Amino acid sequence: MKKLRSDSQQSLLQWVSQATGINSVGVKVRLRGNDLHILCEGEKCPQRWRTLSDLLHALQQTDLDALTKSEQPSIYQVFVYGRKKGEYRPQWCHRVYLNQLDRHLEQVELALLADAAKAPGGALILSNESLARRGDPNAIARYLSETLSAMGVGVRVKVKQDESSEDNTSDRLWILCQSNYSPDPSLIAEPVAQQLRQLKLAGYQDAVIVSQITGETNHNWRLRIDLTPPEVMLKEWARWGDVQAIARLLTAVLSDLQITVQVSLQESTLHIFCLPLANSLEDASAPDKALCIKKISQQLEAIAPQAILAATIYGQKTPDDKQPQWIDWLTLPANEYPALATPALELAAEGDEPAIIFLLERLLNPNLDRRLKTGGLRVLLRRKDDLYHIMCDAPICPSRKQVAPKVTQFIRQLNIAGIAGVRVYGRRAGNKEPFWHHGVDLAQRQRLVPEATPEFAATSEYVSDLITQDNDEAIFRPDLTTEEVHSFVSKVAQDWLETATTTWKKWLLNTQLFIETNQSVNQIPDSQGLKVALVWGTLGLLLTLQTDWILGYIVTRTLPTTASVNNVSPSSSSPAKSSLRESNHQNQRTAFFTSSSQPQNAAFNASGFTQEDDNQPPTLNAAPLREKANATAILLAARSSLPSFNVRQLDEQLALYRQRIARNGKPADVLIIGSSRALRGVDPMALSKALKRQGYANLDVFNFGINGATAQVVDFVIRQVLQPSELPKLILWADGSRAFNSGREDLTFQAIAASQGYEYVLQQAQTSSNSETPGNSTTGQNTTPQPNINPYQAFNQAFNQILGTVSTTYQNRNQVKALLQKQLESLPVLIASQNDQSQTTKIENSPDENLLLHAVDFDGFLPLSVRFNPARYYQKYARVIGKYDNDYKDFNLGGEQDAALQNVLQFTKSQNIQLVFINLPLTAEYLDSFRRQHEQEFQNYMLQIATSPNFIYRDISQLWPKTNEYFSDPSHLNRFGAYEVSQKLATDPMIPWPVK
């Protein structure tokens, strides 16, 4: 239920109190959609007609919309209630239509004169439905608000000229639904469709329903309602010989004569029984023969039903009469025109597309009444080469399990020549892209890379138009079967595998360490094999010892110089000198990244990326760049007593966060957590400043994003790694569906689970749970549990110690590594390749994530200035469609990721921490049909979870699908997008930001 804002509520309360004379304490107002509810109460229940009279006179002189905020929907009707204080239910209720105030006043004045309100009488109040039938947009909006206002949805209606109509006589009805949330389309589709079709509006082809959240500019979803009159739908089916449609049309024609009909079809003859209506069967005679024959013949001649050659008409008093009162015969147009004599099923078997569409629609719409009420399920057909592409759409997206098997089985039974497969799609009416697809091959198909799937337009007028033309480059499509891909890959890889195997085999045989499997063992005696092994082993040992001696000699000569340099310690006596050294160090780093043989501003800007072109996009807003924390994070992680988690970024983020807690003396107020999408997608500084403008001063925000973090990783960090004293007041979990897919391989969590830090945390938790007594608490704090070492690890450590005592270079292995790397980098070939690689790295739109691990600032945020340009990006990186994306592999929202989410929900509830999940934006380049389907599954999944206490779900995934300037790659935001997301989150009224 939508409540008024405080200032609007105060204005309405004062206005009602002044109009009725009731103290403002006894008045309550509430807005719900387009309805205003006013409750009047007192020590005695207010008089109904006197209160209404005062309110109606005040309404005539007041514009209610002026008393509310501009973004709130217009008020169409007012509900007035009266009750006694202390009672739960009102004693009376009255509905007032604001467009009929004069009629209401007349009714109220007559009731006052009657002195009882027992016989109100007076003017006739027209219903909103009767006014809406005239086609007035405001009346239609009031009519729809009767249903939608109960859901908290406001309605506005506009009429636009349909540009696709050739004669410009057909209009389109646009219905804008505004609410504080995004309602499920399935809740609105059928009720609104039935209401609109019940009006039988003339001159409207269809209606488009657009849902929009109050305060936002983009719509959430769109829905199309077919307003084709029921009579036209019946005539379309009757044209193909549908018996039920013919019976309804004939009944409508004869209803004025108080006659009903019953129709049946036997072979190619239509049998029509004419009966008087049920309320006049007792004394009625058989229907008039001449009138019945005239009406029926005119209708059947106009319809010209397919494959029905004749009609037999009977006149009866009652349905039980064995002998009709009269009988007559008619010859229909199909008897004269051979084109009309062929049944629809035979035409469909010959490939006639209109016949196939009719039979499919009849198959998928078994309930004729439901089709006439809602518009039913519509079928669009398109043939491409040897494939049938069939789109099924309805106000509610058809179920794949119910539709796809029926369609494929029907096409299979037709056995159409030249058709080797069928592709079935399902969508909600009004969308161009399908929600699901289903493909079946009816015969063996040799094509490995089929043409692009046709995109069906939202209306049938453009069904023949395809976005992808025949001359377009072939691309992989989701309808490519596994067998086709497997056969293609097998043929391509077979030759390559044989060639590679032969080459390796020859090389291994030349070493004389290997023999062929089919070679007799007797050809090589055991003594000779032992000699060969001894020779190779001796040579390898001598080579190892000699190499160790040479490297040790080289390192010994270079070690003093290196040591003297490393042992120089900077003086910290002067702050000026310290700042000077930091400045020089920063200048050296800048010079390293910007030095080039080209002029300073020739190709690269200060951030190391290519400069913008002349047609560069406009300047975008972003928070200023802060000092990088990579060096500090590495040092803190190295000094930490906690073992590593095998994920370097987790170690460094944890070290930065704990340093922040030690400096501030308290944990962060808001902790942002998630994968790389959170790491790049929410700017703590921008969020903190925006919240300060909203009245939330001095909130500390930290970004704890980790590349590759799934729900299991987030659960481990929140419940196991962070101590209770380190937990924030609010957790902002920013991510998407990929983090909850239990079908993918969770590499990040596997790396953490195999680490010593993981074992340490679990042992620490077990120790703390076992040491509840005071005597054990001290011991648990002073001793650090050591991880278990298996025999393999013990042998490896002992062997390394023995080799260290023998080898001359083992103790100085780091110096050897640095020396070799320096010598290799000095080679001319490697210098040229490194220069090319460094320039290429700067030009690329999406640098490798491993290089970006060290670029976070002291707020834990990774600011990227690069802007996603598809034309450049896909020159460097392959375009991976959703079907082959490992992040969506075996997509499953259950399993271990769901269990991790439930653990987080229970933990945050027990700790009284508010958990908010943000579904971050994605680009249209990323969201293909496969990913959109799973994103919709994720939406439904999160909406179910959103019923949990202490959990709020906010979806902004479709915020900027076309604004590539806010992204660094197809699925990650840059710092400009992160700034805009932070501004939007700060003004989101649904997020309960902590108050100091």
Side-chain angles (χ1 to χ4, degrees), residues 28 50 78 110 112 213 217 290 316 326 335 355 435 581 608 610 633 694 852 861 894 944 994:
K28 296 180 181 179
R50 175 56 59 191
V78 180
L110 289 175
L112 289 174
I213 296 179
T217 56
Q316 292 181 312
W326 52 265
N335 192 33
F435 288 175
R581 284 193 303 271
T610 56
Q694 297 294 324
L852 299 174
F861 173 60
Q944 294 177 359

Side-chain angles (χ1 to χ4, degrees), residues 88-103:
Y88 178 72
R89 294 183 177 275
Q91 296 184 10
W92 55 267
C93 173
H94 196 91
R95 177 164 61 180
V96 177
Y97 298 109
L98 296 184
N99 61 332
Q100 302 183 54
L101 290 178
D102 294 338
R103 296 175 181 268

Side-chain angles (χ1 to χ4, degrees), residues 99 107 150 154 177 190 233 260 308 329 353 436 520 593 601 642 657 707 710 861 877 939:
N99 61 332
Q107 182 185 35
C177 299
E190 289 201 353
M233 288 185 169
T260 184
I308 300 179
W329 294 267
E353 292 187 2
W436 56 261
S520 175
F593 284 108
N601 58 353
L642 183 67
Y657 183 58
N707 282 335
T710 59
F861 173 60
Y877 306 98
Q939 292 281 357

Side-chain angles (χ1 to χ4, degrees), residues 725-918:
S725 60
E726 299 172 340
L727 294 173
K729 300 177 183 178
L730 184 142
I731 296 177
L732 207 62
W733 190 350
D735 218 311
S737 62
R738 302 182 302 190
F740 296 86
N741 179 17
S742 298
R744 61 179 283 198
E745 188 176 4
D746 195 346
L747 299 177
T748 306
F749 185 73
Q750 291 176 6
I752 295 174
S755 67
Q756 295 182 0
Y758 184 81
E759 296 181 4
Y760 175 78
V761 168
L762 295 185
Q763 292 178 6
Q764 194 76 353
Q766 184 177 3
T767 303
S768 62
S769 62
N770 293 335
S771 57
E772 296 294 338
T773 61
N776 295 334
S777 60
T778 305
T779 311
Q781 293 176 359
N782 295 333
T783 60
T784 302
Q786 298 295 329
N788 296 329
I789 301 178
N790 55 37
Y792 263 140
Q793 294 175 338
F795 175 77
N796 185 43
Q797 293 177 1
F799 190 67
N800 286 338
Q801 292 176 359
I802 295 173
L803 289 179
T805 59
V806 176
S807 173
T808 59
T809 60
Y810 183 77
Q811 301 297 332
N812 301 319
R813 56 188 181 276
N814 291 331
Q815 285 78 6
V816 174
K817 179 180 177 182
L819 181 62
L820 292 176
Q821 184 176 3
K822 181 179 180 181
Q823 295 299 325
L824 288 175
E825 289 176 351
S826 63
L827 296 177
V829 178
L830 293 180
I831 291 175
S833 63
Q834 287 174 0
N835 291 336
D836 296 339
Q837 184 177 6
S838 63
Q839 293 180 4
T840 304
T841 304
K842 293 176 183 179
I843 295 174
E844 287 176 357
N845 282 347
S846 180
D848 184 44
E849 288 183 354
N850 294 328
L851 299 177
L852 299 174
L853 293 179
H854 316 293
V856 298
D857 56 26
F858 282 93
D859 292 328
F861 173 60
L862 176 59
L864 296 182
S865 300
V866 63
R867 305 181 189 182
F868 172 54
N869 186 333
R872 297 181 189 171
Y873 184 86
Y874 293 120
Q875 291 178 359
K876 302 294 181 182
Y877 306 98
R879 185 191 295 267
V880 181
I881 63 175
K883 187 175 183 180
Y884 301 106
D885 190 348
N886 286 332
D887 290 334
Y888 290 87
K889 181 180 179 182
D890 300 330
F891 195 81
N892 177 23
L893 293 176
E896 61 271 11
Q897 304 296 350
D898 178 68
L901 174 59
Q902 299 300 329
N903 292 336
V904 173
L905 291 175
Q906 294 178 6
F907 179 77
T908 53
K909 181 181 178 182
S910 64
Q911 298 291 328
N912 197 23
I913 300 174
Q914 189 68 48
L915 179 62
V916 180
F917 187 89
I918 309 298

